[in-house]
Amino acid sequence: MYWNDIFENFDFLMSGLVVTIQLALLAVIGSLLCGIVFGVLRHSKIPVISFLAGAYIEFTRSIPLILFIVFIHFGFLPLILGEASTFFQSACVALIAFTSAYVAEIVRSGLNSIDKGHIEAAKSLGLNWFDRMTCVILPIALTRMTPALVSQFISLIKDTSLASTIGLIEFTRSGEIIYERTYHELEILIFIALTYFAICYSLSLLSKKLESKPYINKDSENLKQLKELA
Amino acid sequence: MIKVEKIYKAYKNFDVLIDVSAQVEKGQIVAVIGPSGCGKSTFLRCINGLEKVSKGRIYVDGKEVTAPDTNLNKIRSEVGIVFQQFNLFPHMSVKENIMLAPVKVKKISKSDADQIAMALLEKVGMLDHAHKYPEQLSGGQAQRVAIARSLAMEPKIMLFDEPTSALDPKMTNEVLDTMKQLAQDGMTMIVVTHEMSFAREVANKIMFFSQSRLIEEAAPDKFFHNPQSEITREFLRSVLKLEV
């Protein structure tokens, strides 16, 4: 076995991992924000808005991500910007555009799950649409959507490896570059796989923890008593 | 204070309200009673625009609720409503539930809203529970918090939609006591209820609905002892076993 390959190229692999993490973080934040907006629009009672958001979501979900990345890098972004975009920019835009469609569907189902009584209570207090959404409906929905969202973001982290197809040297591609030179694929691939696993599995554990969090005050006496018992 | 002019409400082929006209004066306490499915809850929900009428007009404090260009949020901030299912926001503590609307709608400062919330919680006897979350409360406690939440907007009118129907007798009394106190303070109230004793003791007007129509309006004494309509008599006989 040639485990030494990993240590000899550790800095290079880590620079790839940093790119992957940066890309994933930006894409998670971007697709969460865009997904919430698209999900709320899709949920809208105004037929035109709901239809347009629905069309975007269905279209995006029916196209392979790899096509999306290539199309955005070689077609869409150069057209919009008037010049070539960097690999990182293209990958980021593609991942956000792609994942936000899935997030939008999760948000929509979360919004549908809200008890009508809570919406009526918020309306009855005189809250306008924006305040109802941001203070009441979305916070309740987001808590319920956490498991589905985390699972979507785990997919997103793995999907960042597809950015290597347009030439971005992220984690997977950095490994490829090494074994293309050394021909010792196995060790590098195992290392890369275990690293992805460590990141994704810890997210999954975090999600389970968030899921079981009840709506109780951290300072509340109940919890104090529980701590004393423990 | 409230004027309802010939309202109709229909869902698809079913008439929920037919030709209902009524008037409620300032400080009046109106109990709305009638068999299930008679339209009394819908009547109440039309007053703050949660349901849209098919025909007719409703005025609250001189402003028309049913006008197409009306600012419903403004009217709703002046008309409190308490629901059968409490509908407290589960992600906020008791105090935050009460502070939300004053801060967001009335734009008052958080510290002022905090004081208002604490004063109201004291009034409904829930001061010790300010930091709890709704799921930690009993039904009666939750309903009293819901009342405090509505009162925080200093409404001119309070609507109650079967506020005690989801509660056991002990909790029902807690909530009714809070409502009686509110009545003594001079609040204008419309209460949809099955609590005949509350209607009799506290209300100064009874509105009786049956089969989508407002059948009879009268003072409690007259309503319970000398009802004018045969439908009312039938209802009182079957529900209260009254000899009328």
Side-chain angles (χ1 to χ4, degrees):
Chain A
M1 298 293 270
Y2 297 91
W3 295 108
N4 225 17
D5 284 5
I6 296 169
F7 301 109
E8 277 167 13
N9 299 290
F10 196 71
D11 287 350
F12 184 62
L13 282 168
M14 284 306 112
S15 65
L17 182 60
V18 168
V19 174
T20 288
I21 289 172
Q22 283 173 338
L23 184 59
L25 268 180
L26 278 173
V28 164
I29 295 166
S31 60
L32 183 61
L33 294 177
C34 294
I36 288 174
V37 171
F38 285 130
V40 170
L41 294 178
R42 179 81 182 88
H43 187 71
S44 163
K45 280 188 188 133
I46 304 165
V48 185
I49 291 177
S50 173
F51 174 80
L52 288 177
Y56 172 79
I57 292 165
E58 290 306 327
F59 179 75
T60 308
R61 295 205 306 170
S62 313
I63 287 179
L65 174 57
I66 198 155
L67 247 160
F68 225 82
I69 295 173
V70 172
F71 169 73
I72 282 187
H73 183 62
F74 295 106
F76 183 69
L77 276 184
L79 199 73
I80 299 282
L81 299 173
E83 55 178 13
S85 51
T86 66
F87 297 141
F88 188 86
Q89 288 167 344
S90 300
C92 201
V93 170
L95 284 167
I96 289 173
F98 184 81
T99 308
S100 58
Y102 289 84
V103 172
E105 276 299 282
I106 296 171
V107 170
R108 186 175 72 104
S109 65
L111 293 176
N112 283 339
S113 80
I114 298 292
D115 184 354
K116 207 168 148 253
H118 292 138
I119 302 173
E120 287 186 345
K123 276 185 187 169
S124 302
L125 289 167
L127 295 170
N128 60 30
W129 180 87
F130 185 79
D131 287 335
R132 291 201 297 271
M133 260 307 164
T134 53
C135 299
V136 178
I137 301 173
L138 277 175
I140 301 175
L142 280 167
T143 323
R144 284 185 197 159
M145 293 170 335
T146 307
L149 281 177
V150 170
S151 128
Q152 192 59 50
F153 291 143
I154 288 174
S155 291
L156 169 68
I157 291 171
K158 294 179 292 180
D159 287 344
T160 56
S161 61
L162 288 172
S164 62
T165 51
I166 51 169
L168 181 68
I169 304 175
E170 39 66 71
F171 194 39
T172 307
R173 179 71 190 130
S174 64
E176 231 169 47
I177 289 172
I178 294 163
Y179 65 69
E180 275 168 3
R181 187 158 45 80
T182 62
Y183 298 106
H184 306 141
E185 293 92 347
L186 189 67
E187 295 79 0
I188 299 283
L189 285 175
I190 288 174
F191 173 71
I192 289 175
L194 285 177
T195 310
Y196 276 113
F197 173 79
I199 295 171
C200 294
Y201 187 62
S202 36
L203 253 182
S204 175
L205 287 179
L206 182 73
S207 142
K208 287 211 178 81
K209 216 172 174 181
L210 289 174
E211 206 179 333
S212 58
K213 187 191 87 179
Y215 288 123
I216 54 171
N217 198 328
K218 288 177 195 94
D219 314 322
S220 84
E221 286 185 13
N222 288 10
L223 214 70
K224 268 186 212 156
Q225 283 168 0
L226 278 177
K227 273 180 193 156
E228 278 162 21
L229 285 173
Chain B
M1 196 94 202
I2 298 175
K3 209 164 123 194
V4 177
E5 284 179 354
K6 289 185 175 303
I7 59 165
Y8 288 76
K9 169 78 186 172
Y11 292 116
K12 295 209 171 113
N13 295 322
F14 182 68
D15 292 322
V16 192
L17 291 174
I18 302 168
D19 192 20
V20 175
S21 297
Q23 209 155 337
V24 176
E25 306 303 330
K26 193 172 188 313
Q28 218 167 23
I29 293 141
V30 180
V32 181
I33 62 176
S36 295
C38 65
K40 56 191 191 302
S41 279
T42 308
F43 168 72
L44 194 78
R45 292 157 56 85
C46 284
I47 294 172
N48 76 342
L50 279 181
E51 303 279 355
K52 284 201 163 47
V53 297
S54 312
K55 223 164 86 180
R57 289 162 197 271
I58 299 173
Y59 299 89
V60 172
D61 206 22
K63 281 172 237 138
E64 191 186 341
V65 182
T66 41
D69 60 341
T70 192
N71 182 353
L72 270 182
N73 291 333
K74 178 84 174 73
I75 292 177
R76 283 169 179 159
S77 69
E78 294 167 0
V79 180
I81 184 165
V82 172
F83 302 92
Q84 184 180 346
Q85 295 300 335
F86 332 129
N87 296 336
L88 293 175
F89 306 130
H91 61 300
M92 295 179 180
S93 70
V94 162
K95 197 167 79 176
E96 287 164 346
N97 261 280
I98 299 172
M99 286 167 61
L100 177 68
V103 170
K104 290 291 171 185
V105 181
K106 283 194 166 172
K107 313 281 181 205
I108 69 173
S109 74
K110 281 204 167 159
S111 60
D112 287 351
D114 192 290
Q115 279 179 1
I116 292 172
M118 290 317 240
L120 284 169
L121 282 172
E122 187 164 17
K123 185 174 175 155
V124 299
M126 289 290 294
L127 200 54
D128 297 341
H129 306 276
H131 295 284
K132 284 191 179 168
Y133 278 70
E135 65 177 12
Q136 297 169 289
L137 304 177
S138 74
Q141 292 173 330
Q143 194 61 297
R144 284 184 283 154
V145 172
I147 292 172
R149 180 174 68 176
S150 281
L151 291 177
M153 289 301 286
E154 298 177 315
K156 295 173 181 158
I157 300 154
M158 284 287 284
L159 310 175
F160 293 83
D161 189 2
E162 302 196 26
T164 58
S165 296
L167 304 175
D168 68 30
K170 182 178 166 286
M171 297 194 292
T172 296
N173 283 333
E174 292 173 13
V175 171
L176 290 181
D177 285 345
T178 307
M179 289 167 63
K180 281 177 195 164
Q181 195 193 333
L182 210 55
Q184 278 160 13
D185 296 348
M187 176 65 80
T188 310
M189 292 160 68
I190 304 181
V191 186
V192 170
T193 186
H194 292 292
E195 294 291 330
M196 293 303 154
S197 58
F198 178 82
R200 221 189 285 209
E201 288 166 32
V202 185
N204 36 43
K205 180 157 103 176
I206 311 275
M207 287 171 76
F208 173 67
F209 280 74
S210 181
Q211 294 184 342
S212 312
R213 290 173 195 276
L214 174 59
I215 304 290
E216 189 157 353
E217 278 187 90
D221 254 2
K222 192 172 170 224
F223 181 85
F224 286 106
H225 298 115
N226 187 21
Q228 300 302 302
S229 159
E230 182 51 39
I231 306 170
T232 314
R233 279 193 283 265
E234 179 65 30
F235 175 77
L236 291 175
R237 256 179 249 135
S238 67
V239 175
L240 296 176
K241 312 281 179 248
L242 281 183
E243 297 293 326
V244 282

